[in-house]
Amino acid sequence: MDKRLLTIQDISCVGQCSLTVALPIISACGIETAILPGSVLSNHTAPGFSAWTFHDLTDEMPKILSQWKKEDITFDAFYTGYVSKGQVKYIQDIMEQTARENALRIVDPAMADNGKLYAGFDADFPKEMARLCQGADFILPNLTEASYLLDIPYKGEDYTQNYIENVCKDLYKLGAKNVILTGVSFEKGKLGVAVYNGATFDYYFTERLNASLHGTGDIYSSAFAGALLNGKSPIIAASIAADFVVESIKHTLSDKDHWYGAKFEKAIPYLISKLN
């Protein structure tokens, strides 16, 4: 039986993020990708757009689960991204009731960046996201999200390797089996990830580009999930995802009108070549 992944996050109709990133990338990795949208937005909420529409779909989640159970629909993996506080319990129910044997749970605690929570999240939201991280096979926070999950001050780039490893250890204590901490840098011009499995650390660094584009975290997590389900080890999946993000950004830098996301579509052939 081919592998089937369910990704649960919002749909920003324009802006190259969330489900409009996850569905094509994971599908390109050869994985059947089912979706469960938690909300629909006209466009993403980052600076550049003046406003956005928003329609919440939380009430649909238990109805969809009920129908899936009637149809005996199950999944080999779950990947969550941007979700709301009221959806956490429903998502946990879906994972528990539709999981195939040894199904993977991948949680991207998409809620913050650059030291701040995203618009629309209150101060209590990180506690709910920490609940979702419990029992996850992989969590993929950036440094801002890690600080909110652990309720510690955000240090920016003023940190040591010892600090990063202690953060990973504390994130592991939340109940996740593996921690993929993104946005780690110990050297100018390099950016990468720390991978911790509860016993050992692995690191991977790639070129740091002078650009900050919306949706790169979603691109990373989607490529990681796709690589992982293709049988790659966590550190190899993490490195493939990091390289794919860099390639996506490189395809975008020359187009000054493309400010709202990264052109990951142009880099998909590169991703497929890395998987093979």
Side-chain angles (χ1 to χ4, degrees):
M1 180 185 296
D2 289 340
K3 293 179 180 176
R4 177 192 289 158
L5 174 145
L6 171 66
T7 181
I8 308 170
Q9 47 190 307
D10 75 288
I11 296 178
S12 289
C13 298
V14 173
Q16 291 176 303
C17 65
S18 57
L19 279 180
T20 59
V21 164
L23 179 57
I25 290 176
I26 301 170
S27 295
C29 293
I31 305 301
E32 180 185 345
T33 309
I35 65 169
L36 179 55
S39 57
V40 179
L41 292 85
S42 56
N43 44 271
H44 66 60
T45 63
F49 292 115
S50 61
W52 56 88
T53 67
F54 175 87
H55 181 64
D56 186 83
L57 296 172
T58 303
D59 291 343
E60 294 299 312
M61 287 185 166
K63 301 174 189 176
I64 290 170
L65 172 58
S66 177
Q67 185 60 34
W68 282 349
K69 290 174 68 177
K70 292 177 183 176
E71 302 289 345
D72 195 26
I73 292 172
T74 56
F75 305 96
D76 296 285
F78 304 91
Y79 155 40
T80 67
Y82 184 106
V83 299
S84 66
K85 184 162 58 176
Q87 294 171 353
V88 170
K89 183 184 185 309
Y90 293 136
I91 293 169
Q92 289 174 322
D93 289 343
I94 290 166
M95 289 179 171
E96 290 171 3
Q97 297 180 43
T98 65
R100 292 175 181 169
E101 186 176 2
N102 299 319
L104 291 176
R105 302 185 183 193
I106 303 165
V107 174
D108 177 1
M111 60 180 174
D113 204 0
N114 297 316
K116 297 180 180 179
L117 286 172
Y118 293 150
F121 289 148
D122 62 28
D124 290 333
F125 182 72
K127 295 178 182 177
E128 288 300 302
M129 186 58 78
R131 286 183 54 217
L132 191 57
C133 290
Q134 293 174 4
D137 292 280
F138 296 90
I139 59 172
L140 296 89
N142 61 36
L143 288 167
T144 300
E145 289 156 350
S147 69
Y148 277 103
L149 287 170
L150 298 175
D151 194 22
I152 60 175
Y154 172 64
K155 293 177 68 71
E157 296 190 5
D158 182 22
Y159 54 76
T160 63
Q161 183 172 339
N162 184 63
Y163 170 81
I164 291 297
E165 295 191 353
N166 284 332
V167 166
C168 288
K169 290 175 182 178
D170 289 340
L171 288 168
Y172 181 82
K173 292 175 185 176
L174 293 177
K177 298 175 184 176
N178 296 271
V179 175
I180 316 294
L181 184 62
T182 65
V184 175
S185 179
F186 302 133
E187 178 184 353
K188 186 176 180 180
K190 297 291 184 181
L191 190 67
V193 296
V195 178
Y196 180 60
N197 63 7
T200 59
F201 285 93
D202 285 303
Y203 290 93
Y204 181 78
F205 296 96
T206 186
E207 180 182 2
R208 183 171 195 165
L209 300 175
N210 185 26
S212 179
L213 297 175
H214 188 77
T216 52
D218 299 331
I219 293 170
Y220 181 90
S221 297
S222 300
F224 175 83
L228 197 68
L229 286 172
N230 268 274
K232 304 301 183 184
S233 68
I235 184 59
I236 295 300
S239 64
I240 288 172
D243 290 340
F244 178 55
V245 170
V246 170
E247 287 298 312
S248 300
I249 294 173
K250 285 181 176 178
H251 280 284
T252 315
L253 291 178
S254 62
D255 187 349
K256 300 305 180 185
D257 292 327
H258 200 94
W259 51 266
Y260 49 84
K263 294 184 178 182
F264 70 89
E265 301 92 343
K266 305 293 186 183
I268 282 179
Y270 174 85
L271 173 62
I272 295 172
S273 72
K274 295 285 281 188
L275 291 175
N276 294 332

